[in-house]
Amino acid sequence: MEFTLYNNVEEFYKDVYDVLLANEAQNTLILGNLMVGYEGKDKFGWRDPANWVMVTVKQDDKVTLVGLMTPPFGLTLYATDNRIDRNTIKLLINSLNTHKLPVPGVVTEKTLAEAFAEEYGLPHKTNMTQRIYKLDSVNPQINKIGSLRLACEQDLFFLPYWIEDFATCAGGDGIVDKDIEKYRYHISQNKLYILEVDGTAVSMAKIDRETENNICISYVYTPPYWRKKGFASSIVAQVSQVCLDKGFKSCVLYTDLANPTSNSIYQEIGYKPVCDSLEITFE
């Protein structure tokens, strides 16, 4: 087996893209991030590949394990064809330690995440147990409430609070950043959608991480006082249809398995389970 640490995102892309694409929906996170670095159009925040950790383990010149870490975030992993080999994981961990590259956490398919955490040996906790879903067509019976529009500059009086409240689900502190550019960035991409009902913004959702056939839907958020009115179902259904109309073959999203309501809602829209994923932090 051979470990490779890359300092060039183009070389990394050449070695791993087809491997990841073979399980595109499962790999929407690592693939989407890889495309950001490879295209080099956006180096805001964590998106500059000069700061990334890009690794593979190969057996007989074939990639068996892919790892991408975009600091300050954890390591995303994929075992080719989901064939998990403990010796491959041990080689990866030993090589990372040799290069003095600590791993703050790992995000990947559940079985692989558990195996990596066991071999890594440090105390750890599971921040979130997620399920990846994929949609090929929107259920036409979903009630389309309100009207959809892109977020704009005028939304900045409430968007920072929505974004930070959403982030608390992923371990954020809910505190609004004083740097408004952080939130203006979300608007500038023309990927953040707002659902309006009678002229009032009631929900948001974002499209992100475009891959060859898929696009991911994230930042699905409805303020507490607008919940249980069908707004989340409506915006996810409408944004999903927008993506399909743009030519994507499918949409992918992550859900927190601790939230049975959202999991039920997405399945009603037409999303079907792909696999479970864990977000683990090493203490």
Side-chain angles (χ1 to χ4, degrees), residues 52-69:
W52 290 3
V53 176
M54 301 168 281
V55 297
T56 59
V57 176
K58 297 178 182 178
Q59 178 79 46
D60 299 327
D61 207 34
K62 293 182 179 179
V63 174
T64 56
L65 188 61
V66 180
L68 173 61
M69 187 159 58

Side-chain angles (χ1 to χ4, degrees), residues 151-225:
C152 61
E153 187 81 7
Q154 286 74 17
D155 297 324
L156 284 172
F157 78 92
F158 66 84
L159 270 181
Y161 300 95
W162 286 20
I163 289 171
E164 294 304 337
D165 200 23
F166 168 82
T168 58
C169 299
D173 55 20
I175 299 175
V176 173
D177 199 310
K178 293 181 180 179
D179 183 6
I180 198 67
E181 293 304 317
K182 171 183 175 180
Y183 308 105
R184 186 172 280 122
Y185 171 80
H186 286 279
I187 295 173
S188 68
Q189 292 181 296
N190 290 323
K191 293 181 178 180
L192 183 61
Y193 286 87
I194 301 295
L195 182 70
E196 281 189 347
V197 174
D198 297 329
T200 300
V202 297
S203 192
M204 73 174 181
K206 186 179 181 182
I207 57 175
D208 206 0
R209 295 197 290 272
E210 302 176 16
T211 58
E212 191 166 318
N213 301 295
N214 296 326
I215 189 165
C216 187
I217 295 179
S218 61
Y219 281 86
V220 179
Y221 175 80
T222 303
Y225 41 89

Side-chain angles (χ1 to χ4, degrees), residues 7-257:
N7 56 20
N8 183 295
V9 69
E10 287 80 12
E11 288 296 319
F12 182 62
Y13 175 94
K14 182 180 69 175
D15 280 1
V16 306
Y17 181 76
D18 288 340
V19 174
L20 297 171
L21 194 66
N23 236 326
E24 189 173 358
Q26 176 182 330
N27 289 320
T28 180
L29 177 58
I30 189 171
L31 259 176
N33 290 345
L34 174 60
M35 293 303 298
V36 168
Y38 179 72
E39 293 174 355
K41 297 177 182 178
D42 180 6
K43 294 185 179 180
F44 180 83
W46 58 265
R47 298 164 185 83
D48 188 350
N51 302 317
W52 290 3
V53 176
M54 301 168 281
V55 297
T56 59
V57 176
K58 297 178 182 178
Q59 178 79 46
D60 299 327
D61 207 34
K62 293 182 179 179
V63 174
T64 56
L65 188 61
V66 180
L68 173 61
M69 187 159 58
T70 57
F73 303 106
L75 181 68
T76 51
L77 292 170
Y78 174 62
T80 303
D81 299 325
N82 287 312
R83 296 176 180 173
I84 299 168
D85 178 73
R86 291 279 180 156
N87 291 327
T88 302
I89 295 171
K90 289 177 182 178
L91 174 60
L92 172 64
I93 292 171
N94 290 337
S95 299
L96 289 171
N97 289 337
T98 298
H99 287 86
K100 298 181 179 180
L101 295 170
V103 177
V106 63
V107 181
T108 186
E109 183 275 328
K110 183 176 184 290
T111 308
L112 178 57
E114 291 172 338
F116 184 92
E118 289 175 10
E119 296 296 341
Y120 202 57
L122 291 180
H124 61 275
K125 65 177 181 178
T126 299
N127 291 339
M128 191 178 298
T129 302
Q130 299 175 302
R131 181 160 291 162
I132 302 174
Y133 286 91
K134 176 181 175 182
L135 171 143
D136 300 312
S137 62
V138 177
N139 179 0
Q141 296 181 347
I142 294 295
N143 188 19
K144 309 297 194 305
I145 307 169
S147 58
L148 194 68
R149 65 168 175 81
L150 286 168
C152 61
E153 187 81 7
Q154 286 74 17
D155 297 324
L156 284 172
F157 78 92
F158 66 84
L159 270 181
Y161 300 95
W162 286 20
I163 289 171
E164 294 304 337
D165 200 23
F166 168 82
T168 58
C169 299
D173 55 20
I175 299 175
V176 173
D177 199 310
K178 293 181 180 179
D179 183 6
I180 198 67
E181 293 304 317
K182 171 183 175 180
Y183 308 105
R184 186 172 280 122
Y185 171 80
H186 286 279
I187 295 173
S188 68
Q189 292 181 296
N190 290 323
K191 293 181 178 180
L192 183 61
Y193 286 87
I194 301 295
L195 182 70
E196 281 189 347
V197 174
D198 297 329
T200 300
V202 297
S203 192
M204 73 174 181
K206 186 179 181 182
I207 57 175
D208 206 0
R209 295 197 290 272
E210 302 176 16
T211 58
E212 191 166 318
N213 301 295
N214 296 326
I215 189 165
C216 187
I217 295 179
S218 61
Y219 281 86
V220 179
Y221 175 80
T222 303
Y225 41 89
W226 290 122
R227 291 174 187 169
K228 297 183 179 181
K229 298 179 183 295
F231 297 152
S233 296
S234 181
I235 192 170
V236 171
Q238 292 189 57
V239 171
S240 299
Q241 190 60 58
V242 166
C243 294
L244 296 177
D245 292 343
K246 286 177 178 286
F248 291 98
K249 294 181 180 178
S250 56
C251 303
V252 174
L253 54 75
Y254 283 71
T255 67
D256 182 354
L257 282 179

